[in-house]
Amino acid sequence: MTEHLGGDLAIVGARLRTNTDEGIGATALLVRAGRIAALGDDAAIRAEAEAAGIPVHEASDATVTPGLFDSHTHPHWAAEVTAGIDLGGLETVAQLREVIAAEHARLPEGAWLRGWNLEYEPFEETGLRGDLLEDAAPGRPVALICYDLHTGLATAPALAAAGITGAREFADASEVVVDDAGVPTGELREPTAYNLVFDAAPKPSAEEERDALRNMFRRLAAVGLTGGAIMDGRDRTVELLAELEGRGELDHRVTVHHWHAVGDDDDDVARVIAAGDRRGRLWQTGAIKLFSDGVIDTGTAWLHTVDACGDGRVPFWPSWERYAEVVRAYHEAGMLIATHAVGDYAVSRVLEVYATLPARDGLPFHSIEHLEVLSDADVEQLRGSGVTASMQPLHMQWRAADHSDNWTVRLGPGRDATGYRVRDVLDSGTTLVLGSDWPVAQYDPRLGMAWARGRHAPGDPAAPVFEPEQRLSGEEALLAYTLWPARARGHEDRGVLAVGAVGDLTVWGADPVDATPDELPEVPIRLTVVEGRVVHRQ
C-alpha cells in the first residue's frame, strides 16, 4: 500500500486566471506538498523551485486555471455502461440491427451483447420494442441503455435471464412496459426496472471493476478535469475509491453522492447518515442524490402542464410527503442534498420542500440537478432560495433546428424555448454550476463550456443556435466549472489560484476565456495537476 502525499511542482511563463484578486499579473506559481505556496514572476518562482529541487514546467503561451470540476457525473457507472457498443447517432432500426448483428458475430457464444447511448428517435413510430432487434442476435441476450440512462431495452433472452415475464410493481415510478396482452415489450423505464436485466448480466471481476474506474479517471484527466461530483454513489463506489487511493492510483478529487432509492426505509437513511463522514485524501462522502421525476423523452418529467402525449403529471415518489421527510432527515444530519428535477413543476415542488428546511450555520445549501425546463415563475422562485442550480446545456445537442427531435415534440409546441435557461438562472442571483452527466453526454468540459457559451454545436457554421439570449460569457462558463462549484460545496481552498489553495490545476494551450465557443473544444490541455501531481501531460 502506498500513501500518496501531495506533490511539488512549479509552472512558469504562463497566464494565470486566478478567480481572485490575488496574484494579478503573476506568470508563475509554486505548489508544495499539494498546495499552492507562491504566486509571482518567473524568475522568483524558478529560483525558489530550483533551490528546493522542485521540477519546473515551462508553460510558454499557456493559461493556468484552477482545476476543472464536473458538478454532475457518473464515472463508476460509466465504466460499466460504456463497456458495450456505442449506439449514438444511429437513427433507424435498420442501422441498429446492422450494428448489433456485427457485434453478435464478433462475440463468443453465451456472451451478453451490451449497448449504450441508444437514442429514442429510431422508435418514434413503433415504440421501444426488443423484438425489432431480436433476430439480429438470435438466441443471445441483448441489453441496451438509452443515452439519458432513464430507459433500458432488452430482447426476450435477456428478459428471460432476468426472470421478467410481465408487469412489476415498484416503489418508485419505474415500469416494465407490457403490451395489451401483458407481455413485456422490452422497454424498461427508470433504473429500478432496467437494473433487473443488467443485474442478471455477467459482472466484471473486482480487479477489473477497480481498474476500469482508475482508467476512467485518467480519461477525465486528459480533458482537464481534476474532480467531480459522483451522482450515483453506492457502498461499492466508496470501497473502490479507498482501494485506488491506497494503491496510489486515484487521480481525481471527488465527492460521492449516495443514491437514495425511493424504496429505502428509515433504517437505510440511518445507515447512510452513520457512514456520512467517510473520506480519504482526495474523496469524501456526506452527500445525497434523490430523484423527483424522470425525463422529458419518456413522459416521466413532472410538468406544470401535460406534454403532447398527455403525460408529465406524476412524480417519481408515490408519496411526496415521504420525499420531504427524507430530505429533512439528511438535512438535519448535515448532509448535502442534490435532487434530480428535469420538469418545471418538479423544480417548483423541490424548491417548496427546500424552503421548509431550518438554517444550518456554516454548511452549504442544497442543489437541484438539471432544471431542463423552467417557467418564468420557477426562475423567480429560485431567486433568493440559496439553492445551487446544476445544469447541463450540453444536452441541447440532441435538439433539431426544425423542432422534430423527440424532446421538443414531446414537450409540445413552443415549450422548447423554456429549456436550459442558464442566463436567466444566473441573472436571478442563483449559484450556477455546470457538468456533463457523463455518460449521458460527453465528459469533455471544453464541449460543456462551448455549448453554454454558443448554444450551438461548436465548429459547425450551419449549426442552429438555440435561445441565444441564454448564452454565458467565457468567464462565466469557466467560473461554473471552477470557483462556483467550490463555493457551492463550502470549499474556500478550491476553485482559485491563491496561496494555501489546493494544487489542482488545468493548464491550457490557449486562454479558454478568450477562445471562441467554436475554438474552445480544440484548445489543447497541456497538463492536468491534482494536488501537485501531474496526472496528465499532453
PDB file of all heavy atoms in Angstrom, residues 431-460:
ATOM      1  N   THR A 431     -26.734  30.568  -7.672  1.00  0.00           N
ATOM      2  CA  THR A 431     -25.440  29.966  -7.967  1.00  0.00           C
ATOM      3  C   THR A 431     -25.610  28.927  -9.061  1.00  0.00           C
ATOM      4  O   THR A 431     -26.456  28.030  -8.958  1.00  0.00           O
ATOM      5  CB  THR A 431     -24.845  29.302  -6.719  1.00  0.00           C
ATOM      6  OG1 THR A 431     -24.615  30.296  -5.722  1.00  0.00           O
ATOM      7  CG2 THR A 431     -23.532  28.607  -7.047  1.00  0.00           C
ATOM      8  N   LEU A 432     -24.816  29.043 -10.116  1.00  0.00           N
ATOM      9  CA  LEU A 432     -24.891  28.144 -11.258  1.00  0.00           C
ATOM     10  C   LEU A 432     -23.615  27.325 -11.362  1.00  0.00           C
ATOM     11  O   LEU A 432     -22.515  27.876 -11.295  1.00  0.00           O
ATOM     12  CB  LEU A 432     -25.082  28.954 -12.547  1.00  0.00           C
ATOM     13  CG  LEU A 432     -25.010  28.179 -13.865  1.00  0.00           C
ATOM     14  CD1 LEU A 432     -26.233  27.286 -14.032  1.00  0.00           C
ATOM     15  CD2 LEU A 432     -24.878  29.144 -15.044  1.00  0.00           C
ATOM     16  N   VAL A 433     -23.766  26.014 -11.505  1.00  0.00           N
ATOM     17  CA  VAL A 433     -22.622  25.150 -11.783  1.00  0.00           C
ATOM     18  C   VAL A 433     -22.962  24.297 -12.998  1.00  0.00           C
ATOM     19  O   VAL A 433     -24.127  24.018 -13.278  1.00  0.00           O
ATOM     20  CB  VAL A 433     -22.254  24.260 -10.570  1.00  0.00           C
ATOM     21  CG1 VAL A 433     -21.876  25.116  -9.375  1.00  0.00           C
ATOM     22  CG2 VAL A 433     -23.391  23.311 -10.200  1.00  0.00           C
ATOM     23  N   LEU A 434     -21.935  23.890 -13.728  1.00  0.00           N
ATOM     24  CA  LEU A 434     -22.122  23.133 -14.954  1.00  0.00           C
ATOM     25  C   LEU A 434     -21.489  21.752 -14.841  1.00  0.00           C
ATOM     26  O   LEU A 434     -20.547  21.541 -14.083  1.00  0.00           O
ATOM     27  CB  LEU A 434     -21.508  23.878 -16.144  1.00  0.00           C
ATOM     28  CG  LEU A 434     -22.098  25.246 -16.488  1.00  0.00           C
ATOM     29  CD1 LEU A 434     -21.333  25.870 -17.651  1.00  0.00           C
ATOM     30  CD2 LEU A 434     -23.582  25.147 -16.810  1.00  0.00           C
ATOM     31  N   GLY A 435     -22.021  20.836 -15.617  1.00  0.00           N
ATOM     32  CA  GLY A 435     -21.482  19.484 -15.645  1.00  0.00           C
ATOM     33  C   GLY A 435     -21.910  18.778 -16.909  1.00  0.00           C
ATOM     34  O   GLY A 435     -22.559  19.344 -17.786  1.00  0.00           O
ATOM     35  N   SER A 436     -21.571  17.503 -16.991  1.00  0.00           N
ATOM     36  CA  SER A 436     -21.796  16.743 -18.225  1.00  0.00           C
ATOM     37  C   SER A 436     -22.917  15.731 -18.110  1.00  0.00           C
ATOM     38  O   SER A 436     -23.593  15.417 -19.083  1.00  0.00           O
ATOM     39  CB  SER A 436     -20.518  15.996 -18.609  1.00  0.00           C
ATOM     40  OG  SER A 436     -20.216  15.005 -17.629  1.00  0.00           O
ATOM     41  N   ASP A 437     -23.098  15.137 -16.910  1.00  0.00           N
ATOM     42  CA  ASP A 437     -23.973  13.989 -16.713  1.00  0.00           C
ATOM     43  C   ASP A 437     -23.416  12.754 -17.412  1.00  0.00           C
ATOM     44  O   ASP A 437     -24.153  11.842 -17.767  1.00  0.00           O
ATOM     45  CB  ASP A 437     -25.395  14.285 -17.200  1.00  0.00           C
ATOM     46  CG  ASP A 437     -26.466  13.420 -16.539  1.00  0.00           C
ATOM     47  OD1 ASP A 437     -26.137  12.725 -15.558  1.00  0.00           O
ATOM     48  OD2 ASP A 437     -27.615  13.440 -17.006  1.00  0.00           O
ATOM     49  N   TRP A 438     -22.107  12.738 -17.648  1.00  0.00           N
ATOM     50  CA  TRP A 438     -21.457  11.590 -18.291  1.00  0.00           C
ATOM     51  C   TRP A 438     -21.870  10.293 -17.587  1.00  0.00           C
ATOM     52  O   TRP A 438     -21.906  10.244 -16.363  1.00  0.00           O
ATOM     53  CB  TRP A 438     -19.939  11.778 -18.223  1.00  0.00           C
ATOM     54  CG  TRP A 438     -19.104  10.572 -18.528  1.00  0.00           C
ATOM     55  CD1 TRP A 438     -18.327   9.881 -17.647  1.00  0.00           C
ATOM     56  CD2 TRP A 438     -18.961   9.926 -19.792  1.00  0.00           C
ATOM     57  NE1 TRP A 438     -17.701   8.841 -18.285  1.00  0.00           N
ATOM     58  CE2 TRP A 438     -18.090   8.836 -19.603  1.00  0.00           C
ATOM     59  CE3 TRP A 438     -19.513  10.144 -21.059  1.00  0.00           C
ATOM     60  CZ2 TRP A 438     -17.739   7.982 -20.641  1.00  0.00           C
ATOM     61  CZ3 TRP A 438     -19.156   9.288 -22.080  1.00  0.00           C
ATOM     62  CH2 TRP A 438     -18.276   8.223 -21.867  1.00  0.00           C
ATOM     63  N   PRO A 439     -22.255   9.235 -18.354  1.00  0.00           N
ATOM     64  CA  PRO A 439     -22.134   9.061 -19.801  1.00  0.00           C
ATOM     65  C   PRO A 439     -23.367   9.465 -20.608  1.00  0.00           C
ATOM     66  O   PRO A 439     -23.503   9.053 -21.766  1.00  0.00           O
ATOM     67  CB  PRO A 439     -21.896   7.562 -19.924  1.00  0.00           C
ATOM     68  CG  PRO A 439     -22.735   6.979 -18.833  1.00  0.00           C
ATOM     69  CD  PRO A 439     -22.616   7.962 -17.687  1.00  0.00           C
ATOM     70  N   VAL A 440     -24.278  10.248 -20.005  1.00  0.00           N
ATOM     71  CA  VAL A 440     -25.399  10.764 -20.787  1.00  0.00           C
ATOM     72  C   VAL A 440     -24.874  11.626 -21.934  1.00  0.00           C
ATOM     73  O   VAL A 440     -25.323  11.516 -23.076  1.00  0.00           O
ATOM     74  CB  VAL A 440     -26.358  11.574 -19.894  1.00  0.00           C
ATOM     75  CG1 VAL A 440     -27.415  12.283 -20.722  1.00  0.00           C
ATOM     76  CG2 VAL A 440     -27.012  10.657 -18.863  1.00  0.00           C
ATOM     77  N   ALA A 441     -23.940  12.505 -21.651  1.00  0.00           N
ATOM     78  CA  ALA A 441     -23.318  13.355 -22.668  1.00  0.00           C
ATOM     79  C   ALA A 441     -21.803  13.279 -22.496  1.00  0.00           C
ATOM     80  O   ALA A 441     -21.301  12.751 -21.504  1.00  0.00           O
ATOM     81  CB  ALA A 441     -23.805  14.794 -22.547  1.00  0.00           C
ATOM     82  N   GLN A 442     -21.066  13.826 -23.456  1.00  0.00           N
ATOM     83  CA  GLN A 442     -19.606  13.755 -23.438  1.00  0.00           C
ATOM     84  C   GLN A 442     -19.061  14.427 -22.181  1.00  0.00           C
ATOM     85  O   GLN A 442     -19.565  15.446 -21.736  1.00  0.00           O
ATOM     86  CB  GLN A 442     -19.033  14.446 -24.676  1.00  0.00           C
ATOM     87  CG  GLN A 442     -19.548  13.867 -25.996  1.00  0.00           C
ATOM     88  CD  GLN A 442     -20.718  14.651 -26.539  1.00  0.00           C
ATOM     89  OE1 GLN A 442     -21.616  15.029 -25.803  1.00  0.00           O
ATOM     90  NE2 GLN A 442     -20.713  14.899 -27.840  1.00  0.00           N
ATOM     91  N   TYR A 443     -18.003  13.847 -21.636  1.00  0.00           N
ATOM     92  CA  TYR A 443     -17.428  14.351 -20.388  1.00  0.00           C
ATOM     93  C   TYR A 443     -16.500  15.542 -20.580  1.00  0.00           C
ATOM     94  O   TYR A 443     -16.111  16.182 -19.607  1.00  0.00           O
ATOM     95  CB  TYR A 443     -16.673  13.244 -19.657  1.00  0.00           C
ATOM     96  CG  TYR A 443     -15.642  12.502 -20.480  1.00  0.00           C
ATOM     97  CD1 TYR A 443     -14.409  13.081 -20.789  1.00  0.00           C
ATOM     98  CD2 TYR A 443     -15.893  11.217 -20.949  1.00  0.00           C
ATOM     99  CE1 TYR A 443     -13.468  12.405 -21.538  1.00  0.00           C
ATOM    100  CE2 TYR A 443     -14.951  10.525 -21.693  1.00  0.00           C
ATOM    101  CZ  TYR A 443     -13.747  11.113 -21.986  1.00  0.00           C
ATOM    102  OH  TYR A 443     -12.812  10.436 -22.734  1.00  0.00           O
ATOM    103  N   ASP A 444     -16.157  15.880 -21.808  1.00  0.00           N
ATOM    104  CA  ASP A 444     -15.165  16.926 -22.068  1.00  0.00           C
ATOM    105  C   ASP A 444     -15.718  18.295 -21.643  1.00  0.00           C
ATOM    106  O   ASP A 444     -16.688  18.786 -22.234  1.00  0.00           O
ATOM    107  CB  ASP A 444     -14.827  16.948 -23.553  1.00  0.00           C
ATOM    108  CG  ASP A 444     -13.597  17.787 -23.870  1.00  0.00           C
ATOM    109  OD1 ASP A 444     -13.335  18.758 -23.133  1.00  0.00           O
ATOM    110  OD2 ASP A 444     -12.915  17.470 -24.868  1.00  0.00           O
ATOM    111  N   PRO A 445     -15.120  18.937 -20.637  1.00  0.00           N
ATOM    112  CA  PRO A 445     -15.646  20.228 -20.177  1.00  0.00           C
ATOM    113  C   PRO A 445     -15.504  21.331 -21.216  1.00  0.00           C
ATOM    114  O   PRO A 445     -16.227  22.333 -21.156  1.00  0.00           O
ATOM    115  CB  PRO A 445     -14.815  20.529 -18.929  1.00  0.00           C
ATOM    116  CG  PRO A 445     -13.544  19.768 -19.133  1.00  0.00           C
ATOM    117  CD  PRO A 445     -13.939  18.517 -19.860  1.00  0.00           C
ATOM    118  N   ARG A 446     -14.593  21.160 -22.159  1.00  0.00           N
ATOM    119  CA  ARG A 446     -14.476  22.158 -23.231  1.00  0.00           C
ATOM    120  C   ARG A 446     -15.755  22.181 -24.074  1.00  0.00           C
ATOM    121  O   ARG A 446     -16.225  23.251 -24.485  1.00  0.00           O
ATOM    122  CB  ARG A 446     -13.250  21.842 -24.095  1.00  0.00           C
ATOM    123  CG  ARG A 446     -11.925  21.968 -23.347  1.00  0.00           C
ATOM    124  CD  ARG A 446     -10.753  21.420 -24.147  1.00  0.00           C
ATOM    125  NE  ARG A 446     -10.890  19.991 -24.382  1.00  0.00           N
ATOM    126  CZ  ARG A 446      -9.970  19.252 -25.007  1.00  0.00           C
ATOM    127  NH1 ARG A 446      -8.866  19.824 -25.482  1.00  0.00           N
ATOM    128  NH2 ARG A 446     -10.160  17.957 -25.185  1.00  0.00           N
ATOM    129  N   LEU A 447     -16.338  21.015 -24.303  1.00  0.00           N
ATOM    130  CA  LEU A 447     -17.617  20.946 -25.012  1.00  0.00           C
ATOM    131  C   LEU A 447     -18.731  21.546 -24.162  1.00  0.00           C
ATOM    132  O   LEU A 447     -19.603  22.260 -24.673  1.00  0.00           O
ATOM    133  CB  LEU A 447     -17.955  19.495 -25.364  1.00  0.00           C
ATOM    134  CG  LEU A 447     -17.245  18.890 -26.567  1.00  0.00           C
ATOM    135  CD1 LEU A 447     -17.556  17.401 -26.648  1.00  0.00           C
ATOM    136  CD2 LEU A 447     -17.658  19.587 -27.846  1.00  0.00           C
ATOM    137  N   GLY A 448     -18.718  21.225 -22.870  1.00  0.00           N
ATOM    138  CA  GLY A 448     -19.741  21.765 -21.981  1.00  0.00           C
ATOM    139  C   GLY A 448     -19.724  23.278 -21.951  1.00  0.00           C
ATOM    140  O   GLY A 448     -20.777  23.942 -22.014  1.00  0.00           O
ATOM    141  N   MET A 449     -18.530  23.866 -21.853  1.00  0.00           N
ATOM    142  CA  MET A 449     -18.416  25.322 -21.847  1.00  0.00           C
ATOM    143  C   MET A 449     -18.798  25.915 -23.201  1.00  0.00           C
ATOM    144  O   MET A 449     -19.419  26.984 -23.273  1.00  0.00           O
ATOM    145  CB  MET A 449     -16.995  25.732 -21.469  1.00  0.00           C
ATOM    146  CG  MET A 449     -16.697  25.598 -19.992  1.00  0.00           C
ATOM    147  SD  MET A 449     -15.073  26.271 -19.552  1.00  0.00           S
ATOM    148  CE  MET A 449     -14.127  24.778 -19.451  1.00  0.00           C
ATOM    149  N   ALA A 450     -18.430  25.229 -24.280  1.00  0.00           N
ATOM    150  CA  ALA A 450     -18.752  25.730 -25.614  1.00  0.00           C
ATOM    151  C   ALA A 450     -20.258  25.800 -25.829  1.00  0.00           C
ATOM    152  O   ALA A 450     -20.777  26.780 -26.386  1.00  0.00           O
ATOM    153  CB  ALA A 450     -18.098  24.849 -26.681  1.00  0.00           C
ATOM    154  N   TRP A 451     -20.982  24.783 -25.391  1.00  0.00           N
ATOM    155  CA  TRP A 451     -22.437  24.790 -25.527  1.00  0.00           C
ATOM    156  C   TRP A 451     -23.063  25.862 -24.633  1.00  0.00           C
ATOM    157  O   TRP A 451     -24.025  26.533 -25.037  1.00  0.00           O
ATOM    158  CB  TRP A 451     -23.012  23.422 -25.195  1.00  0.00           C
ATOM    159  CG  TRP A 451     -23.094  22.521 -26.391  1.00  0.00           C
ATOM    160  CD1 TRP A 451     -22.195  21.567 -26.771  1.00  0.00           C
ATOM    161  CD2 TRP A 451     -24.132  22.497 -27.371  1.00  0.00           C
ATOM    162  NE1 TRP A 451     -22.607  20.956 -27.928  1.00  0.00           N
ATOM    163  CE2 TRP A 451     -23.796  21.506 -28.312  1.00  0.00           C
ATOM    164  CE3 TRP A 451     -25.308  23.219 -27.543  1.00  0.00           C
ATOM    165  CZ2 TRP A 451     -24.608  21.213 -29.417  1.00  0.00           C
ATOM    166  CZ3 TRP A 451     -26.124  22.931 -28.634  1.00  0.00           C
ATOM    167  CH2 TRP A 451     -25.768  21.945 -29.554  1.00  0.00           C
ATOM    168  N   ALA A 452     -22.543  26.039 -23.436  1.00  0.00           N
ATOM    169  CA  ALA A 452     -23.087  27.065 -22.548  1.00  0.00           C
ATOM    170  C   ALA A 452     -22.879  28.460 -23.120  1.00  0.00           C
ATOM    171  O   ALA A 452     -23.713  29.356 -22.924  1.00  0.00           O
ATOM    172  CB  ALA A 452     -22.427  26.961 -21.168  1.00  0.00           C
ATOM    173  N   ARG A 453     -21.795  28.666 -23.842  1.00  0.00           N
ATOM    174  CA  ARG A 453     -21.473  29.979 -24.398  1.00  0.00           C
ATOM    175  C   ARG A 453     -22.112  30.223 -25.765  1.00  0.00           C
ATOM    176  O   ARG A 453     -22.603  31.318 -26.048  1.00  0.00           O
ATOM    177  CB  ARG A 453     -19.959  30.124 -24.511  1.00  0.00           C
ATOM    178  CG  ARG A 453     -19.244  30.176 -23.164  1.00  0.00           C
ATOM    179  CD  ARG A 453     -17.733  30.149 -23.353  1.00  0.00           C
ATOM    180  NE  ARG A 453     -17.285  31.205 -24.253  1.00  0.00           N
ATOM    181  CZ  ARG A 453     -16.033  31.341 -24.680  1.00  0.00           C
ATOM    182  NH1 ARG A 453     -15.109  30.467 -24.281  1.00  0.00           N
ATOM    183  NH2 ARG A 453     -15.709  32.325 -25.485  1.00  0.00           N
ATOM    184  N   GLY A 454     -22.090  29.205 -26.638  1.00  0.00           N
ATOM    185  CA  GLY A 454     -22.565  29.391 -28.002  1.00  0.00           C
ATOM    186  C   GLY A 454     -23.970  28.899 -28.257  1.00  0.00           C
ATOM    187  O   GLY A 454     -24.628  29.342 -29.197  1.00  0.00           O
ATOM    188  N   ARG A 455     -24.426  27.919 -27.461  1.00  0.00           N
ATOM    189  CA  ARG A 455     -25.746  27.297 -27.606  1.00  0.00           C
ATOM    190  C   ARG A 455     -25.943  26.738 -29.013  1.00  0.00           C
ATOM    191  O   ARG A 455     -27.045  26.753 -29.563  1.00  0.00           O
ATOM    192  CB  ARG A 455     -26.850  28.275 -27.233  1.00  0.00           C
ATOM    193  CG  ARG A 455     -26.646  28.788 -25.817  1.00  0.00           C
ATOM    194  CD  ARG A 455     -27.726  29.150 -25.008  1.00  0.00           C
ATOM    195  NE  ARG A 455     -29.003  28.546 -25.058  1.00  0.00           N
ATOM    196  CZ  ARG A 455     -29.605  28.015 -24.009  1.00  0.00           C
ATOM    197  NH1 ARG A 455     -28.948  27.897 -22.857  1.00  0.00           N
ATOM    198  NH2 ARG A 455     -30.831  27.564 -24.087  1.00  0.00           N
ATOM    199  N   HIS A 456     -24.842  26.202 -29.560  1.00  0.00           N
ATOM    200  CA  HIS A 456     -24.904  25.510 -30.836  1.00  0.00           C
ATOM    201  C   HIS A 456     -23.750  24.514 -30.889  1.00  0.00           C
ATOM    202  O   HIS A 456     -22.821  24.587 -30.082  1.00  0.00           O
ATOM    203  CB  HIS A 456     -24.805  26.493 -32.009  1.00  0.00           C
ATOM    204  CG  HIS A 456     -23.465  27.149 -32.138  1.00  0.00           C
ATOM    205  ND1 HIS A 456     -23.143  28.314 -31.495  1.00  0.00           N
ATOM    206  CD2 HIS A 456     -22.346  26.801 -32.835  1.00  0.00           C
ATOM    207  CE1 HIS A 456     -21.902  28.669 -31.784  1.00  0.00           C
ATOM    208  NE2 HIS A 456     -21.387  27.751 -32.599  1.00  0.00           N
ATOM    209  N   ALA A 457     -23.832  23.580 -31.835  1.00  0.00           N
ATOM    210  CA  ALA A 457     -22.758  22.605 -31.993  1.00  0.00           C
ATOM    211  C   ALA A 457     -21.481  23.320 -32.398  1.00  0.00           C
ATOM    212  O   ALA A 457     -21.432  23.943 -33.464  1.00  0.00           O
ATOM    213  CB  ALA A 457     -23.140  21.567 -33.041  1.00  0.00           C
ATOM    214  N   PRO A 458     -20.437  23.279 -31.573  1.00  0.00           N
ATOM    215  CA  PRO A 458     -19.222  24.031 -31.893  1.00  0.00           C
ATOM    216  C   PRO A 458     -18.539  23.504 -33.142  1.00  0.00           C
ATOM    217  O   PRO A 458     -18.511  22.305 -33.400  1.00  0.00           O
ATOM    218  CB  PRO A 458     -18.345  23.837 -30.649  1.00  0.00           C
ATOM    219  CG  PRO A 458     -18.880  22.612 -29.978  1.00  0.00           C
ATOM    220  CD  PRO A 458     -20.336  22.565 -30.286  1.00  0.00           C
ATOM    221  N   GLY A 459     -18.008  24.450 -33.930  1.00  0.00           N
ATOM    222  CA  GLY A 459     -17.267  24.087 -35.128  1.00  0.00           C
ATOM    223  C   GLY A 459     -18.106  23.893 -36.367  1.00  0.00           C
ATOM    224  O   GLY A 459     -17.570  23.603 -37.438  1.00  0.00           O
ATOM    225  N   ASP A 460     -19.425  24.038 -36.234  1.00  0.00           N
ATOM    226  CA  ASP A 460     -20.322  23.867 -37.383  1.00  0.00           C
ATOM    227  C   ASP A 460     -20.972  25.209 -37.706  1.00  0.00           C
ATOM    228  O   ASP A 460     -21.894  25.644 -37.003  1.00  0.00           O
ATOM    229  CB  ASP A 460     -21.383  22.818 -37.055  1.00  0.00           C
ATOM    230  CG  ASP A 460     -22.358  22.581 -38.215  1.00  0.00           C
ATOM    231  OD1 ASP A 460     -22.183  23.205 -39.270  1.00  0.00           O
ATOM    232  OD2 ASP A 460     -23.277  21.766 -38.037  1.00  0.00           O
TER     233      ASP A 460
END
